[in-house]
Amino acid sequence: MDTTRRRRMGQIGPSHRIPGVVYQSQERLQRYVDVGVLTDETLVSAFRRAVGRFSTRTALSEINWQCTYAELDALTDRAASAFLRLGLVPLDRVLFQLPNSKELVIAFLGCLKAGLIPICTLAAHRQAEIGYLGRHAGARAHIVSAAEKRFDFIAFAEEMRQSIPSLDLTIAIKGDANLLRDGVHSFERLIEAEDGAEARRRVDAISHDPYQVALFQLSGGTTDIPKIIPRFHNEYLYTLRTFMEFYGFDETIVAYSGLQWIHNSSMLCCWGPAIFFGGEAVVGGSLEADDVGPLFDRRKPNWLLAPPVLLFRLKESGWIDRLDLSKVKAFATGGGVQQLKALLNGAETVPMFGMTEGLIAQGHPSDPIEAKYHTVGRPISPHDELKIFIPGTEVEAADGEVGELAIRGPSVTAGYFDAEERNKVAFTSDGFYKSGDLMRIRTIEGQRYLVFEGRIKDVVSRGGEKINCEEVERAAADHPAIKAIAVVAMPDAVYQERACAFVVPATGQSVTVADLGSFLEKKGLAKFKWPERIEFVAEFPVTAAGKLSKPKLREMIKDILKQEKASASDARARIA
C-alpha cells in the first residue's frame, strides 16, 4: 500500500517495521504531519526534484573534476542498479568506510536509490568498531577505498567478511586491477558495466517509504562503541530543508566541509543541503594547505565547515591572505569563533553545535557578537523542544542555570537501534533524549541561545570525533606496564580537546605514548582514540565518597599545561 493511500486511511508511519528500530509514535508523527513538518517526500524524490530543476548546474566537484545534476543522477542510477545486480535487496545494510571523495557521494546516493541503508562508519575505524557495528546491524556489504597507501582496506575488509556472518560483499573504490582480490568488486567497473536506461528502469521499480530508515548514523560513542542511530527519509529531509531556510540559502550555495563527509554534521549542514537543493558540493580528500588552497581558489565555496587545524594551516601557508573571502557567507566552527574570525581576516564566522541524535544548533551571521562568541548558537528547528534538567534527575533547572540538556523533536531519535537497555537510560518516559551535555540557556536581545558548560558523559571531543574514555581505559588496562588508567580531555588550541591518560604504573614499569598507541592498535581501536599524552601519578584523586574524580584530573592537566606554557614564555623571554 502506497504512502498516500495509507495516509487517507489514517495510517501514518512505515509500511514495514525493521526489527530493532524505534519509530516515532503515531501520535507524534501525526502532530508533525499536521503542521507540515513531515511530508511524503523521500530523500530520493527530493534529489530527483533537484535534478529536474537544475539539471545543467554543477552538483558535485573536485579540483579537477565536476559533474552536473543530470550526470550525477545517471551515475547514481547506475550505482544503484549495480548494487541490486550484486544481489543486495532494499533494507539491506551497507558499511561505508570511505574518505571524503566524489565516490562516497555517488555510492551513498546509489544506496538510497536502491533502498539500501548506509551504515556511516569512519575510515579511521578498525576491528573493534567495524566488527561490532557490522554484526549488530547485520551488514551485507562493505564499501572501502583501495587507494589508501597507509592501510590495506582490502585485506581489512576480507578480515571483516570472515568475522561478520552476514557480510557477503566487498566493494572497492579506486581499485587498481592488480590490487583487487577474489570476492572484491570494483565500484568503477560495476558502474561502467551498467546500461543507463536499464539502470533507470530498475531504480524506478524500487519503492521508497518516507517514514522508513534512510541511513544508520552513529552516536559519539558516549557509552562504549558507538550506538547506531536510525535516521528516516522525511525527517532527515526536514532538517536539510530547515537548514536552508535558517540561513536563507538557495541553489547558489557552494558548500565545502573539511570534516568527515559521512558525519551527520557534514551531511545535514554542508554537502547534503547543497546536493538536495540545487547547490554545489565541493569535495577535497586532503587537509593539507597546498591541496585545499587551490581547491578554494578554483571552486570558490561560500559556505564552509572548516576544522581549526585546516584554517591554521591555510593561514601559516599564506593561503588565507591570498584568497578572496568577500563572497563567503560564513565559516562554521565548533569552537573558538572569535579567534578564528581574526585568523580569517574578519570573514564571517559562526558557531555550530549538534548531536547525531537530532539537535542542530547554529549561529547566524545576523546574531549579536555576544551570541557568536559566547554561545554555541540556537536550534535551527522551531519544533525542537528543549529542557534543562538538574543533573541526575528529570527535574527542570531554573531558567539560566546549568543542567543536562534534553531534547525532543521531529528529527530527534526515538531510540538507538536494538539497544533496549541503553534506551531505558537515555530517554525520559515522555520521549526526551538526555544528551549528557551540560548546558544553560542564555537570552540575548530576546533570543534564547545555548551555552555549553561541559559534559556529564565521559567523552573527549577531538576535533569533533568523540572518544569514549571508558572504552580506551578498558582496552589499555591490559597493558602490562599499567596498574590503573584514567583518560580525560585536555584543552587544545587546534582540536579543542585531546585525550590525556593519567597512569598509575605497575611496579618498576613505564609506558610511552607510542607504546600505548601500538598496544591499542593491536586491540583494534581507531587511531584518533589513542591518548596523546601520559601523566604518571602514584594514585588518583578521589571524591568525598572515595571514588575516582575525573573533574580533578581535568583540572590537574589544565594546570600542568598552563605551567608549561608559562615556562616556555619565560624561556623565550630569556633568549630574546
Side-chain angles (χ1 to χ4, degrees), residues 58-61 243-244 249-258 261 266-267 269-275 279-284 295-296 299-305 329-330:
T58 297
L60 185 64
S61 65
F243 171 87
M244 293 291 282
F249 289 162
D250 57 19
E251 67 274 10
T252 61
I253 183 175
V254 181
Y256 166 87
S257 175
W261 274 42
S266 286
M267 281 192 194
C269 302
C270 192
W271 69 264
I275 287 289
E280 177 183 343
V282 178
V283 59
L295 176 68
F296 284 8
R299 301 311 312 167
K300 296 179 171 50
N302 55 26
W303 169 256
L304 302 96
L305 268 59
K329 300 177 187 298

Side-chain angles (χ1 to χ4, degrees), residues 137-189:
R140 284 208 56 211
H142 189 185
I143 306 181
V144 297
S145 171
E148 176 59 55
K149 294 183 174 64
R150 293 170 295 180
F151 185 76
D152 189 342
F153 278 100
I154 303 298
F156 176 68
E158 288 182 318
E159 179 185 340
M160 291 298 96
R161 273 212 317 274
Q162 298 301 313
S163 66
I164 300 173
S166 60
L167 198 57
D168 299 322
L169 303 167
T170 299
I171 301 169
I173 70 167
K174 300 181 180 178
D176 185 290
N178 296 321
L179 295 176
L180 297 181
R181 303 163 192 174
D182 290 341
V184 181
H185 302 271
S186 163
F187 181 62
E188 291 78 11
R189 290 184 184 178

Side-chain angles (χ1 to χ4, degrees), residues 110-415:
C111 277
L112 294 184
K113 286 184 173 184
L116 308 174
I117 300 175
I119 306 170
C120 300
T121 74
L122 301 178
H125 282 154
R126 293 295 180 263
Q127 293 94 334
E129 298 91 3
I130 297 297
Y132 166 79
L133 293 167
R135 286 187 290 272
H136 191 62
R140 284 208 56 211
H142 189 185
I143 306 181
V144 297
S145 171
E148 176 59 55
K149 294 183 174 64
R150 293 170 295 180
F151 185 76
D152 189 342
F153 278 100
I154 303 298
F156 176 68
E158 288 182 318
E159 179 185 340
M160 291 298 96
R161 273 212 317 274
Q162 298 301 313
S163 66
I164 300 173
S166 60
L167 198 57
D168 299 322
L169 303 167
T170 299
I171 301 169
I173 70 167
K174 300 181 180 178
D176 185 290
N178 296 321
L179 295 176
L180 297 181
R181 303 163 192 174
D182 290 341
V184 181
H185 302 271
S186 163
F187 181 62
E188 291 78 11
R189 290 184 184 178
L190 288 172
I191 289 179
E192 289 171 4
E194 292 294 320
D195 174 77
E198 184 181 344
R200 182 58 180 259
R201 286 193 295 271
R202 185 174 285 111
V203 170
D204 285 345
I206 300 296
S207 176
H208 298 97
D209 187 340
Y211 295 92
Q212 189 54 273
V213 177
L215 63 154
F216 278 160
Q217 274 288 357
L218 305 181
S219 72
T222 59
T223 53
D224 210 343
I225 289 175
K227 296 292 182 286
I228 294 173
I229 303 170
R231 300 301 300 262
F232 304 85
H233 277 276
N234 56 6
E235 62 87 1
Y236 220 62
L237 183 58
Y238 163 71
T239 301
L240 292 167
R241 185 171 64 246
T242 303
F243 171 87
M244 293 291 282
E245 293 170 352
F246 181 82
Y247 285 107
F249 289 162
D250 57 19
E251 67 274 10
T252 61
I253 183 175
V254 181
Y256 166 87
S257 175
L259 306 176
Q260 295 283 337
W261 274 42
I262 205 71
H263 268 184
N264 191 64
S265 56
S266 286
M267 281 192 194
L268 285 178
C269 302
C270 192
W271 69 264
I275 287 289
F276 287 98
F277 291 93
E280 177 183 343
V282 178
V283 59
S286 166
L287 289 182
E288 295 303 319
D290 288 343
D291 297 321
V292 178
L295 176 68
F296 284 8
D297 190 44
R298 181 169 299 183
R299 301 311 312 167
K300 296 179 171 50
N302 55 26
W303 169 256
L304 302 96
L305 268 59
V309 63
L310 171 59
L311 298 180
F312 286 127
R313 288 172 182 171
L314 289 172
K315 186 68 173 181
E316 290 171 357
S317 65
W319 271 107
I320 290 294
D321 298 320
R322 296 201 297 273
L323 292 169
D324 178 8
L325 303 179
S326 62
K327 301 290 176 38
V328 171
K329 300 177 187 298
F331 288 81
T333 180
V337 171
Q338 185 173 4
Q339 177 189 19
L340 293 178
K341 186 177 178 68
L343 187 80
L344 294 165
N345 299 331
E348 186 61 72
T349 311
V350 295
M352 61 178 289
F353 175 86
M355 55 189 71
T356 316
E357 286 80 2
L359 174 72
I360 299 291
Q362 300 263 296
H364 191 277
S366 66
D367 286 341
I369 290 293
E370 186 71 12
K372 293 179 191 176
Y373 288 178
H374 301 294
T375 80
V376 295
R378 47 193 164 103
I380 66 171
S381 169
H383 297 281
D384 281 346
E385 304 169 70
L386 274 60
K387 291 184 178 181
I388 303 293
F389 289 145
I390 296 172
T393 77
E394 292 185 14
V395 178
E396 289 192 65
D399 195 38
E401 289 190 358
V402 175
E404 181 181 13
L405 174 67
I407 55 172
R408 185 175 68 181
S411 286
V412 177
T413 187

Side-chain angles (χ1 to χ4, degrees), residues 71-84:
E71 291 167 338
L72 183 59
D73 190 34
L75 278 171
T76 53
D77 276 351
R78 289 157 63 189
S81 180
F83 294 153
L84 294 169

